[in-house]
Amino acid sequence: MRFLRRLPALAAAALLACTGLAATPAAAQDTSAAAAPGFKAPFPCGQRWTYSHHSAEVRRALDFVRSDGGATAGAPVLASAAGTATRHSQPSGAGNYISIDHGGGWTTYYFHLNAFSVPSGASVAQGQQIGTTGSTGNSSGAHIHYEQLLNGVGQNIVIDGAALSYPGSYHQAHLTSTNGCGGGGGTPFNTWGSSVNVRADARLNAPVVTTLAGPTAVRVVCQKQGDTVNAEGYTNNWWSKLRDQNGFISNIYINHPDAKLPGVPTC
């Protein structure tokens, strides 16, 4: 009887073989990971922050604090990719924090915010401010606790397509943000003058990175106050960070009448 029950199945297999067809197995479940968004740093264009990881951190988090001389507390926190933001509060742990659902199972977290900048359910763009850096919850000082998760599982953090290291303390590794730099990265300006030094920082004694021989088209990613410079009857203590030269020049040498350039973020 078992043999007779198998006859229809055997006949069907023979028919498929004769017609050049093959039985199709059940589709295998697709377990491949969704492609990650193009994540950028969770802080503004041109700012330089240092980061660390310690064993008590949940999942694969990194903590960021500023290392470019600017204040960490109150600094803008930016969405590292577009998505839908949700506000949370955990006074005994993460404090005020935001999660952003980026689709495809990807989520980012931003803990210990001093304040929220968007409501729950808001659609946010990459580079949009979602809060300000703080120390709410279980925190010993202002910092951005940042995570990237896939289907709820913490992932090693990747920014601008490069995997970050996991140092055990600050000032071993640093990251300069390209988030919110705009089209092409930075705002276009022209310089004036000849033999203008581009320095590693907004200080007259900072190392010279390169020298602009004459008027040059540049892209300014951010600006900050530094040493006061006097030239051609002008005085200015604002400096511009140049994208392509990866250094600073006094705003005196930017061909614009304003001491502080319009439309350029603060480093």
Side-chain angles (χ1 to χ4, degrees), residues 19-204:
T19 56
L21 300 176
T24 303
Q29 183 178 2
D30 184 6
T31 58
S32 60
F39 291 120
K40 290 187 174 293
F43 45 87
C45 173
Q47 291 185 358
R48 185 171 184 259
W49 294 51
T50 183
Y51 54 91
S52 70
H53 172 82
H54 54 86
S55 58
E57 290 284 18
V58 297
R59 295 177 287 267
R60 295 294 292 161
L62 285 173
D63 291 334
F64 289 87
V65 298
R66 289 191 72 167
S67 58
D68 58 6
T72 298
V77 178
L78 308 186
S80 61
T84 302
T86 302
R87 288 160 54 156
H88 307 268
S89 179
Q90 187 186 55
S92 62
N96 300 323
Y97 73 98
I98 278 184
S99 62
I100 300 180
D101 182 351
H102 305 286
W106 286 95
T107 307
T108 49
Y109 285 155
Y110 313 76
F111 286 7
H112 308 302
L113 301 178
N114 179 61
F116 298 114
S117 300
V118 295
S120 273
S123 294
V124 296
Q126 185 177 66
Q128 181 175 341
Q129 182 171 331
I130 58 173
T132 56
T133 306
S135 186
T136 58
N138 185 13
S139 169
S140 59
H143 67 284
I144 302 173
H145 169 113
Y146 174 75
E147 301 179 40
Q148 294 174 355
L149 292 82
L150 177 60
N151 297 324
V153 178
Q155 305 295 302
N156 289 338
I157 290 173
V158 174
I159 299 293
D160 292 326
L164 299 190
S165 60
Y166 276 76
S169 60
Y170 292 126
H171 303 294
Q172 296 180 8
H174 302 263
L175 177 66
T176 298
S177 176
T178 62
N179 200 355
C181 289
T187 304
F189 289 94
N190 290 302
T191 68
W192 65 273
S194 58
S195 300
V196 176
N197 288 327
V198 180
R199 298 185 178 274
D201 200 359
R203 305 189 317 273
L204 290 170

Side-chain angles (χ1 to χ4, degrees), residues 224-245:
K224 69 177 182 178
Q225 291 179 298
D227 286 351
T228 298
V229 176
N230 300 289
E232 301 292 329
Y234 295 95
T235 299
N236 199 339
N237 70 338
W238 282 94
W239 293 63
S240 289
K241 183 168 186 179
L242 307 184
R243 182 194 69 180
D244 300 322
Q245 291 77 17

